[in-house]
Amino acid sequence: MNRNDLRRVDLNLLVIFETLMFEKNLTRAAEKLFLGQPAVSAALARLRDLFDDPLLVRNGRGFEPTARALAILKELQPAMDTISCAVSRAREFNPATNRDTFRIGLSDDAEFGLFPALLNQLREEAPEVVIVVRRVNFLLMSPMLASGEISVGVSYTAELPANAKRRKLRELKVKVLRGDSRPGPLTLDDYCARPHALVSFSGDLTGNIDNDLAKLGRSRRVVLAVPQFSGLRSILAGTELLASVPDYAAAALIEGTHLRADDPPFPIVTSDLSMVWGGVTDNDPAERWLRSKIVEHMSG
């Protein structure tokens, strides 16, 4: 295909193709693209004709991309990233008048402990923008960035897409929340003897802290796992339960309550809270502004 042949290719078709490859489902792709399912079905038919390949084949109740479709996706994505960046650089960004929708992925601790201050600043500088927050973790970050569900995410991260960029925001510092009235700091014996509550998105009853305790030949007894940090405020009050949480989440949880936040009575291996974004939005003026505000309000 030469450059003149490109005139018969609708760029919107390629956007639909990319979404279909990630979603593998016509209904979900239609929802993501804000289109009706018949429109997506018609686009898939045109794509099949354009590429002379089925692209998606039924596998049980779902669809799977063909080998040819995956090869096309691998070739197209860098080109689409380049086009998107070129278009983004061509537009100006004025936060005072902009009406963009920003889609941010946040881990629960970052949303609870760090997002309110960021939101206040965003609302002050860009009162017309719309903010959509999605819950992410180290497992969800990559697919949500790759599919465009979020443009930037803040969480603890693992493996990322090849074109993703990462910036460390802060080192995790742990505090031990307690709602009892006993005087004095916690000892290691106290920490191990008392029951613990754990914030766990997956429902697991162990975490990295248990590995740190194991190095000392000690363990703790987790009796409760909850999915988000906000519930700890009422759960811990007046009980013997302890909860080990990031320092910024602890600061938000103890505000206006009788809860206390102690330093842990043993060394804890730290990890990093990072900001991650896709290469496609790296030079977008609006996204660069958003990332600068995230760094300003979420860095340690």
Side-chain angles (χ1 to χ4, degrees), residues 45-277:
R46 291 175 62 192
L47 285 162
R48 283 169 167 164
D49 179 64
L50 176 65
F51 292 119
D52 192 24
D53 187 87
L55 301 179
L56 286 174
V57 293
R58 187 167 292 280
N59 182 6
R61 294 184 177 180
F63 289 89
E64 289 295 330
T66 64
R68 173 67 177 142
L70 293 175
I72 293 169
L73 179 66
K74 187 176 180 180
E75 292 178 353
L76 275 180
Q77 276 194 295
M80 293 178 69
D81 286 349
T82 299
I83 293 170
S84 180
C85 286
V87 172
S88 295
R89 281 195 292 269
R91 70 179 182 127
E92 295 181 354
F93 175 73
N94 181 352
T97 58
N98 188 271
R99 295 187 174 185
D100 279 1
T101 296
F102 292 109
R103 300 182 182 276
I104 309 172
L106 297 175
S107 57
D108 183 60
D109 54 306
E111 180 184 350
F112 182 77
L114 299 174
F115 180 61
L118 170 65
L119 179 61
N120 289 339
Q121 189 68 37
L122 297 180
R123 296 294 304 145
E124 180 178 335
E125 294 189 26
E128 299 299 320
V129 304
V130 176
I131 310 295
V132 177
V133 175
R134 299 291 303 274
R135 181 63 48 79
V136 299
N137 53 53
F138 69 95
L139 294 175
L140 295 176
M141 182 77 84
S142 290
M144 291 180 77
L145 276 174
S147 67
E149 291 178 72
I150 58 173
S151 64
V152 61
V154 176
S155 180
Y156 306 98
T157 56
E159 185 177 345
L160 296 171
N163 67 339
K165 299 181 182 294
R166 174 174 13 209
R167 172 170 176 165
K168 174 183 173 180
L169 294 176
R170 60 169 65 211
E171 187 176 279
L172 170 67
K173 297 177 182 177
V174 173
K175 292 287 187 178
V176 182
L177 283 178
R178 53 191 296 195
D180 63 276
S181 56
R182 295 185 193 180
L186 285 168
T187 67
L188 180 58
D189 286 340
D190 291 335
Y191 185 91
C192 294
R194 289 173 60 170
H196 289 256
L198 178 70
V199 178
S200 171
F201 68 86
S202 63
D204 290 339
L205 296 177
T206 59
N208 291 335
I209 286 175
D210 297 284
N211 298 330
D212 296 324
L213 282 171
K215 295 174 184 175
L216 303 175
R218 306 298 293 267
S219 63
R220 62 177 175 170
R221 183 167 57 97
V222 176
V223 300
L224 173 69
V226 294
Q228 54 194 31
F229 284 82
S230 58
L232 292 177
R233 180 178 282 137
S234 57
I235 289 170
L236 297 182
T239 74
E240 290 290 292
L241 284 166
L242 303 175
S244 301
V245 303
D247 57 345
Y248 48 86
L253 282 162
I254 67 176
E255 185 176 357
T257 73
H258 294 294
L259 298 181
R260 290 178 288 166
D262 285 2
D263 290 326
F266 61 97
I268 293 176
V269 175
T270 60
S271 55
D272 295 336
L273 185 72
S274 296
M275 175 175 68
V276 182
W277 65 99

